[in-house]
Amino acid sequence: MSTGKINVSVENIFPLIKKFLYSDHEIFLRELISNATDATLKLKHLTAIGEAKVEYGSPQIEVKIDKEGKKLHILDQGLGMTQDEVEKYINQLAFSGAEEFLNKYEDGAKDSGIIGHFGLGFYSAFMVAEKVEIITKSFKDEPAAHWTCDGSPDFTLVEADKTERGTEIILHIAEDSTEFLEDSRISQLLTKYNKFMPVPIKFGMKTETLPKPEDAKEEDPAPTQEVDNIINNPDPAWTKQPADLEDQDYKDFYRELYPTQFEEPLFNIHLNVDYPFNLTGILYFPKLAQDISIQKDKIQLYQNQVFVTDNVEGIVPDFLTMLRGVIDSPDIPLNVSRSYLQADGAVKKISGYITRKVADKLKSLFNNDREDFEKKWNDIKVVIEYGMLSEDKFFDKAEKFALYPTVDDTFFTWEELQEKIKDSQTDKDNKLVILYASDKDAQHAYIESAKAKGYEVLLLDSPIVPHVIQKLETSKEDISFVRVDGDHIDNLIKKEDTQISKLSDEEKETVKTAITDAIASQSYTVQVEAMDSEAAPFIITQPEFMRRMKEMQQTGGGGMNMFGNMPEMYNLVVNANHSLVSEILNTKTEKKKQRLIKQSFDLAKLSQNLLKGEDLTNFINRSYEMIK
Ligand code: ADP
Ligand code: MG
């Protein structure tokens, strides 16, 4: 028997560990199962290369609760340790690892939430146990060892009579941690951290229903049998080669990851690199909820099939955090703060790689089945538009697959759109004018009138569209976006056959003065234009730049506060070719003229939802008067 002092300067590890890692107690189980897994896989490797001459078999890890004895057991059939190895790996290495960890975290960095790969390791057992025992038998021909420690630096190490190879860790659960003696709690932890670990993990037994024998009677109950309750899937889809997986396998795996998700994913992206870093995983594009902030099933981060976190901020570019799935990489440093992570070279590469893969996948989906891609566009556009805004590389790649749908559901790529409108929609400086609507109902009249003139009108209705437009305008040359109800399009777009005006310039001036005086409002600038006689007599537009300033402000454009107090400003475009306008010009009685102008103006306001309060009441009263 040997007793001794573990060689550390920290006098009492137990209380320190408790204090420093208070919030993260539950990770002890992940740590111990990771060690058991490592021990099993090490043995597998040694047998494979002929270093260990033992039967590898099909080893399991087992977790057992002894409620009465207040103990939790973790057993493995891995390579085990000799007494010397316990001395070396547990007393010296594991303790020094723990000490180093504590020193590092004493000054406050402890809230990173993640224990380094995992940093504390074996000693995390002392977060929940007042005493820990290791009973272990090495695959080498040496007696078993029994180590006991109560968290103080004193330990005992004696020979044991264990005969089967492997290690048993026994935790004497502390008074304040008895939750870890509950089946439900352990089961929950195993599902959270160990669901995809590579060695089968047994936790109790379960009843399995067998098929009825051929000659069974209708009323006979189906036979059952007790089998090991294996809580994990040791071969999750992401560890396999894409070539070995069918579409259905990906869907099944999605269900395995998110058992409560009802909708099927739209498509998936299998990640698989080993140079210059290691990374595997499967990302899914879900059907996005209308409110993207409530996206609750998140991407899960694993390290060698051990769950680490579902907070992938900093590792995955922001715009992709709306996706779901799994990323597994041993190369992501886990025990450091998030801000450090963002500056880390390896992490930057990983983030760049993921962005590229997602772009490539989108492009191939587009190329292989455009019709299907168009159908999915509405569900994926927010992610793509957000990506175009936030990642320049993605913006460049998206040129090939980002779509610009019209109000009539024709989908153009950027190039196709240019081609389509290059002869018909240019302004006086030969810039392309891209017309768009953001709301089919609210802008109905304007859309119809633009379409009647043969223009293409895009439907751009996602919440970040103002930003996307700005981005496109600053990065592409000679284009400008104009909303259909923005600056009057007849003034903007060059036309071959310009409308001939029924009114002379002088008459236009007279009408303009009459209307300006009658409406008596600072907010409206009156313009008289020769338009199609079928078009409305009065049309209200809001100058494009004004509306955009306001939109940017609302969606957090920043630095636009100087426009905060700007009054509302509109254009009132009067159609010189409309018969009503001729009537206004020719009416002799002042009273009738006033009434014609006021009524037309109010109707124009009404169609833009701008008629409110007293003006609306007056309008309604006046209308009743007129139909009497
Ligand atoms: P790490 O796993 O990062 O090496 P730990 O503190 O978790 O650090 O474990 C320290 C060492 O103890 C391991 O490297 C291993 O050599 C040994 N060890 C721990 N658990 C087992 C086990 N179940 N079987 C065999 N060896 C183990
Ligand atoms: Mg470990």
Side-chain angles (χ1 to χ4, degrees):
M1 147 149 187
S2 85
T3 59
K5 261 199 191 308
I6 291 156
N7 185 21
V8 284
S9 53
V10 181
E11 255 317 294
N12 203 336
I13 289 176
F14 183 42
L16 272 174
I17 288 176
K18 284 217 126 154
K19 185 167 143 224
F20 282 115
L21 297 168
Y22 196 76
S23 63
D24 247 346
H25 282 182
E26 64 178 36
I27 58 90
F28 79 93
L29 190 60
R30 174 186 79 184
E31 293 301 316
L32 297 179
I33 292 180
S34 297
N35 286 349
T37 304
D38 286 350
T40 310
L41 296 177
K42 279 178 195 162
L43 184 68
K44 183 180 186 177
H45 181 67
L46 292 179
T47 45
I49 62 169
E51 290 267 312
K53 307 246 178 307
V54 296
E55 193 60 48
Y56 179 68
S58 40
Q60 278 191 352
I61 294 166
E62 183 174 6
V63 179
K64 272 198 303 204
I65 295 175
D66 170 3
K67 219 167 171 170
E68 243 132 74
K70 296 192 174 155
K71 287 184 288 189
L72 186 67
H73 301 247
I74 293 108
L75 302 98
D76 69 63
Q77 297 154 16
L79 86 178
M81 286 179 276
T82 63
Q83 279 206 36
D84 283 352
E85 285 166 345
V86 174
E87 180 72 46
K88 183 170 159 201
Y89 295 133
I90 300 296
N91 291 343
Q92 292 168 18
L93 288 183
F95 262 112
S96 61
E99 190 194 7
E100 196 186 320
F101 183 87
L102 289 175
N103 286 339
K104 196 159 125 205
Y105 286 93
E106 212 159 4
D107 46 355
K110 62 177 187 301
D111 48 29
S112 68
I114 297 165
I115 298 203
H117 189 234
F118 285 115
L120 200 50
F122 171 74
Y123 274 86
S124 59
F126 288 101
M127 294 192 291
V128 301
E130 56 197 18
K131 188 166 99 180
V132 178
E133 295 177 68
I134 304 173
I135 303 168
T136 179
K137 167 101 177 79
S138 168
F139 74 97
K140 297 169 192 162
D141 187 22
E142 281 194 46
H146 187 168
W147 177 93
T148 312
C149 178
D150 64 3
S152 72
D154 301 313
F155 69 90
T156 61
L157 181 57
V158 297
E159 223 177 273
D161 51 14
K162 180 176 167 66
T163 52
E164 328 82 85
R165 178 193 72 229
T167 301
E168 174 169 13
I169 310 282
I170 306 171
L171 308 184
H172 297 257
I173 298 295
E175 269 315 309
D176 60 1
S177 299
T178 50
E179 62 185 288
F180 298 113
L181 292 170
E182 300 297 332
D183 277 3
S184 58
R185 179 75 167 117
I186 295 299
S187 185
Q188 176 210 4
L189 291 183
L190 292 172
T191 312
K192 176 168 174 190
Y193 292 106
N194 310 104
K195 196 169 165 187
F196 299 113
M197 285 189 71
V199 179
I201 302 165
K202 173 186 169 182
F203 182 52
M205 304 293 284
K206 67 174 181 199
T207 314
E208 215 177 57
T209 312
L210 296 169
K212 284 188 186 186
E214 297 265 309
D215 53 351
K217 291 198 203 82
E218 187 76 40
E219 64 273 21
D220 285 350
T224 57
Q225 67 173 2
E226 289 292 291
V227 293
D228 290 349
N229 178 31
I230 303 296
I231 60 90
N232 56 333
N233 168 7
D235 305 301
W238 84 81
T239 62
K240 298 178 185 162
Q241 288 301 315
D244 298 333
L245 295 165
E246 302 285 334
D247 204 34
Q248 192 56 42
D249 297 319
Y250 287 107
K251 285 182 180 156
D252 291 347
F253 181 59
Y254 186 75
R255 189 81 347 115
E256 209 176 324
L257 274 178
Y258 308 109
T260 57
Q261 263 301 325
F262 161 73
E263 297 239 37
E264 299 249 302
L266 294 169
F267 52 85
N268 64 269
I269 300 165
H270 199 131
L271 308 168
N272 200 341
V273 252
D274 47 22
Y275 183 83
F277 48 82
N278 270 292
L279 181 115
T280 50
I282 300 174
L283 295 179
Y284 292 93
F285 261 76
K287 257 200 149 94
L288 288 181
Q290 204 53 39
D291 179 0
I292 48 181
S293 62
I294 57 166
Q295 205 72 7
K296 64 179 189 318
D297 287 314
K298 303 192 201 133
I299 296 175
Q300 303 178 356
L301 179 64
Y302 286 75
Q303 194 173 76
N304 296 321
Q305 295 174 240
V306 188
F307 174 81
V308 180
T309 176
D310 59 9
N311 179 4
V312 292
E313 199 185 311
I315 297 163
V316 166
D318 242 2
F319 77 102
L320 293 176
T321 54
M322 285 180 265
L323 307 191
R324 301 202 180 110
V326 174
I327 291 172
D328 189 339
S329 174
D331 293 335
I332 297 172
L334 299 172
N335 53 345
V336 288
S337 71
R338 293 272 153 194
S339 53
Y340 177 84
L341 208 57
Q342 270 149 14
D344 187 86
V347 172
K348 275 215 182 101
K349 281 204 192 95
I350 288 173
S351 158
Y353 165 79
I354 296 174
T355 305
R356 205 166 59 241
K357 279 294 276 192
V358 171
D360 291 348
K361 177 76 184 191
L362 289 165
K363 191 172 157 217
S364 80
L365 285 170
F366 173 76
N367 289 341
N368 295 342
D369 189 349
R370 174 159 180 169
E371 202 182 323
D372 185 58
F373 191 81
E374 289 179 358
K375 272 196 209 116
K376 288 172 174 159
W377 179 254
N378 251 325
D379 291 307
I380 60 176
K381 67 183 176 194
V382 178
V383 176
I384 295 175
E385 286 166 355
Y386 188 15
M388 289 168 68
L389 270 181
S390 55
E391 306 276 328
D392 281 340
K393 288 220 175 83
F394 189 81
F395 180 85
D396 295 340
K397 295 205 162 223
E399 168 121 13
K400 293 274 183 290
F401 55 78
L403 293 178
Y404 301 88
T406 68
V407 286
D408 300 316
D409 293 324
T410 306
F411 291 79
F412 293 117
T413 61
W414 184 255
E415 214 181 272
E416 291 161 354
L417 178 67
Q418 309 273 299
E419 189 56 35
K420 180 84 189 171
I421 64 174
K422 72 176 197 303
D423 297 324
S424 52
Q425 284 176 232
T426 50
D427 67 7
K428 58 182 185 325
D429 304 320
N430 280 328
K431 269 190 178 185
L432 281 188
V433 180
I434 300 172
L435 292 176
Y436 72 99
S438 60
D439 184 328
K440 258 170 139 173
D441 290 333
Q443 293 144 16
H444 182 264
Y446 295 89
I447 294 172
E448 288 308 308
S449 125
K451 271 165 56 181
K453 291 181 188 121
Y455 299 138
E456 292 293 340
V457 182
L458 302 183
L459 180 63
L460 303 178
D461 57 0
S462 46
I464 51 173
V465 147
H467 299 274
V468 177
I469 287 176
Q470 200 187 38
K471 171 91 185 176
L472 284 164
E473 283 179 341
T474 48
S475 37
K476 310 270 182 196
E477 270 166 31
D478 290 336
I479 56 146
S480 69
F481 281 83
V482 178
R483 210 166 85 174
V484 271
D485 57 346
D487 301 325
H488 190 62
I489 52 179
D490 281 345
N491 291 347
L492 215 60
I493 299 175
K494 263 195 327 207
K495 273 219 134 186
E496 302 283 288
D497 50 342
T498 28
Q499 287 282 340
I500 301 161
S501 181
K502 281 194 204 160
L503 306 186
S504 68
D505 286 353
E506 202 180 317
E507 286 170 322
K508 279 188 189 166
E509 231 10 79
T510 316
V511 170
K512 183 176 167 174
T513 314
I515 294 174
T516 307
D517 291 348
I519 65 175
S521 167
Q522 295 284 344
S523 307
Y524 289 83
T525 311
V526 179
Q527 282 167 251
V528 183
E529 306 289 342
M531 289 188 265
D532 191 338
S533 59
E534 299 288 305
F538 283 26
I539 299 172
I540 294 172
T541 62
Q542 186 173 29
E544 184 73 11
F545 84 95
M546 272 280 306
R547 204 199 55 254
R548 276 204 213 175
M549 289 303 173
K550 284 181 191 289
E551 274 171 357
M552 291 298 227
Q553 231 174 3
Q554 277 158 14
T555 53
M560 305 264 186
N561 284 336
M562 60 181 186
F563 295 101
N565 297 324
M566 241 174 148
E568 294 287 348
M569 269 165 47
Y570 299 95
N571 297 321
L572 175 62
V573 188
V574 176
N575 183 358
N577 289 352
H578 198 282
S579 53
L580 189 73
V581 178
S582 315
E583 205 179 326
I584 291 172
L585 184 70
N586 300 325
T587 302
K588 296 283 171 299
T589 43
E590 191 54 29
K591 202 171 157 209
K592 186 172 174 213
K593 186 182 281 188
Q594 288 280 333
R595 209 176 55 183
L596 275 174
I597 294 172
K598 282 217 172 86
Q599 192 72 1
S600 307
F601 179 52
D602 282 354
L603 283 166
K605 275 163 92 179
L606 196 65
S607 76
Q608 273 289 66
N609 210 6
L610 290 167
L611 194 60
K612 304 211 163 88
E614 197 183 342
D615 289 342
L616 180 59
T617 312
N618 290 341
F619 167 78
I620 290 171
N621 291 339
R622 200 183 324 122
S623 301
Y624 282 134
E625 279 303 313
M626 286 166 78
I627 57 173
K628 258 199 323 217

